[in-house]
Each structure stands twice: as structure tokens, then as C-alpha cells.
Amino acid sequence: MAMPMHELEFIFCKSDKIFARLINWRTYGDWSHVAVRILDTQRHDYPAILEASFLWGVRLTTMEKIKHSYEQIEIKKINIQKEASDVFLCGLAEVGKPYDYKAIFGAFFRRGEWMHNGASIVTGK
């Protein structure tokens, strides 16, 4: 039996605001913010977007609010197996928690241990 599939959307955002420009400058990247949304490929019934907001912490938002807050967005979709959606559910468990200001501080001062820990989760190394 085939495993049900979902689409995971990464919503890359760019702003001309000063803090966003500082993030772009420090990370050498084009995007200053990333949000994520998971959709059932057959029903598309989970429209909420999960993001970490500097002022409001981890929260659910909408595409309308994303479009209003950022000058440019780009969406990249990937198909995932249903079990992989558990990663998104873990993110939902973080809703309401404060923003990780130490990570931003560390990025600007090359504090690398938070990046290595995150890389180990993604790569399994």
C-alpha cells in the first residue's frame, strides 16, 4: 500500500526593513525569514503557516499576513511521506514559545554551536 503524501511548503521571505537587511548581510543570504506550511495533497486542508516571529515568538499565521509583512516571497514545495508530517506537528507544539534571541545574537557574533546542533539533527551526523 502506498504511503499517503503531503506537500511541505517552505515560504522564503525578504524585507527591506533594517533588521531583515542585517540578517541578509550577516548570513550572506537572499532571504531573512522562512515559514513552513504542510498541506495534504488530496484535501489541502491545513492552511495555517508556522513561523517564528521576532516580536511574537512561535505562532501560526496566514499567507495574507506573510504577503503584507514582506516585499518578496518565494515558495518551494516538496512532497513528503505522511510520517514526515510529524516534524511539522513537533513545530506546532512550539506555538506560544518565545523567539530564540540568543540564536540571532550568536549568528551575528559567530557563535557556532547552535548551528552545529541543528545540522546534526538534519543530517543525522
Side-chain angles (χ1 to χ4, degrees):
M1 178 177 217
M3 185 69 60
M5 297 297 286
H6 292 254
E7 285 181 343
L8 188 64
E9 293 182 338
F10 290 97
I11 305 164
F12 296 90
C13 307
K14 186 174 189 172
S15 173
D16 286 332
K17 295 174 185 163
I18 187 67
F19 194 71
R21 286 181 179 213
L22 285 171
I23 291 171
N24 294 137
W25 168 75
R26 187 64 187 105
T27 62
Y28 307 104
D30 294 328
W31 307 102
S32 57
H33 181 73
V34 179
V36 66
R37 173 169 52 181
I38 191 166
L39 296 170
D40 184 298
T41 54
Q42 296 187 356
R43 292 190 314 255
H44 293 281
D45 62 354
Y46 198 82
I49 296 168
L50 183 65
E51 71 171 350
S53 168
F54 190 75
L55 296 176
W56 297 284
V58 181
R59 68 180 184 163
L60 292 173
T61 190
T62 63
M63 185 57 78
E64 291 77 24
K65 289 180 182 177
I66 294 278
K67 288 179 179 178
H68 178 73
S69 298
Y70 298 94
E71 287 81 22
Q72 184 179 355
I73 64 169
E74 186 172 321
I75 298 173
K76 299 289 184 180
K77 295 181 181 184
I78 60 170
N79 288 324
I80 59 172
Q81 292 182 349
K82 186 171 170 105
E83 285 85 18
S85 67
D86 291 342
V87 173
F88 186 80
L89 294 176
C90 288
L92 287 177
E94 300 296 309
V95 170
K97 292 186 179 179
Y99 191 84
D100 185 2
Y101 298 104
K102 291 185 287 185
I104 294 293
F105 183 81
F108 280 96
F109 293 98
R110 294 194 183 261
R111 193 187 94 212
E113 68 272 9
W114 65 272
M115 290 187 281
H116 296 296
N117 288 339
S120 65
I121 291 169
V122 173
T123 62
K125 295 178 183 178

